[in-house]
């Protein structure tokens, strides 16, 4: 069984500052993938970043980067130079093999102008 | 990235009626489609997984006779909420996976359908 835990229901950040969203997971599989999805007010789920568990290097996509700590089963998302458009719900998710995505409970990010 | 559409985006119906929601992969063939339900301020809960040409696999607690899923082609899956009741009011999201295994997680989401049952 998989579990994905997001311990921060809400976070806020000042515009242009950096914020880190936490995520921990648990899986017995050795081959898995981790994701961060963004859900803005439009409710459209948008893939932010993806990390393959077998890769040691942390994934980076422009202002978004992850801190993947495999031994600790931690997968945090760092958003640099936060922008107003980053305000959304952020979901951490885990996928093993050919199975479906398993989502955490989400973190609502507010960006303060 | 790949585009997934859903129709309708919003539907209001009377209690006891049935509602069909369509999910289409517009520029790719989706061998597997997923249907999620999302309550306000909550996460996405997987309802069922459907593979083209075969019966859907439902998650525990999801009534297969109430939530009928048909995946007739590689680009279309439908979810029919039969005899809808107010408690079925929710946001329904479909997702389509690229490729047979989708091991890299090439899963793309539709924009969702808000169902309100009066």
């Amino acid at each position: 069984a998989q579990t994905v835990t997001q311990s921060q229901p809400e976070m806020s950040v000042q515009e242009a500052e950096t914020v880190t969203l936490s995520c921990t997971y648990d899986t017995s599989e050795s081959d898995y993938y981790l994701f961060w999805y963004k859900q803005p007010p439009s409710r459209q789920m948008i893939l932010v970043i993806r990390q393959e568990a077998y890769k040691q290097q942390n994934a980076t996509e422009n202002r978004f980067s992850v801190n993947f700590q495999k031994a600790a089963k931690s997968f945090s998302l760092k958003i640099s130079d936060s922008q107003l458009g980053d305000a959304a719900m952020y979901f951490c998710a885990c996928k093993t093999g050919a199975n479906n995505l398993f989502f955490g409970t989400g973190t609502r990010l507010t960006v303060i102008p | 990235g790949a585009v997934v559409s859903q129709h309708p985006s919003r539907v209001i119906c009377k209690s006891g009626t049935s509602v069909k929601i369509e999910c289409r992969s517009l520029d790719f063939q989706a061998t597997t489609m997923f249907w999620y339900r999302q309550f306000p301020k909550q996460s996405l809960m997987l309802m069922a997984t459907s593979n083209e040409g075969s019966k859907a696999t439902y998650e525990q607690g999801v009534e297969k006779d109430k939530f009928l899923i048909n995946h007739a082609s590689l680009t279309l899956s439908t979810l029919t909420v039969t005899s809808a009741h107010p408690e079925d009011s929710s946001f329904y999201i479909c997702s389509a996976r690229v490729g047979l295994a989708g091991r890299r997680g090439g899963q793309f989401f539709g924009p969702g359908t808000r169902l309100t049952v009066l």
Side-chain angles (χ1 to χ4, degrees), chain A residues 26-89:
Chain A
D26 193 18
T27 177
S28 57
E29 301 289 331
S30 58
D31 182 19
Y32 56 91
Y33 302 82
L34 298 165
F35 306 83
W36 278 98
Y37 280 89
K38 169 184 177 182
Q39 188 180 42
S42 68
R43 308 294 292 273
Q44 172 75 60
M45 294 288 284
I46 302 166
L47 177 64
V48 174
I49 201 165
R50 168 172 57 205
Q51 173 84 42
E52 289 91 339
Y54 63 85
K55 289 188 177 179
Q56 293 185 340
Q57 187 173 8
N58 289 324
T60 299
E61 289 287 341
N62 300 315
R63 297 183 295 106
F64 299 87
S65 62
V66 299
N67 183 4
F68 176 43
Q69 301 289 326
K70 192 170 184 177
K73 295 186 176 177
S74 170
F75 182 62
S76 59
L77 173 70
K78 186 171 82 171
I79 305 174
S80 305
D81 185 25
S82 297
Q83 300 175 0
L84 296 178
D86 295 333
M89 281 290 289

Side-chain angles (χ1 to χ4, degrees), chain B residues 63-94:
Chain B
E63 299 176 59
K64 60 180 67 176
D65 293 331
K66 180 163 189 64
F67 298 100
L68 301 179
I69 292 172
N70 183 276
H71 193 162
S73 76
L74 287 171
T75 59
L76 173 64
S77 177
T78 60
L79 167 67
T80 301
V81 183
T82 62
S83 186
H85 290 283
E87 57 266 29
D88 298 324
S89 298
S90 190
F91 194 69
Y92 294 87
I93 304 174
C94 76

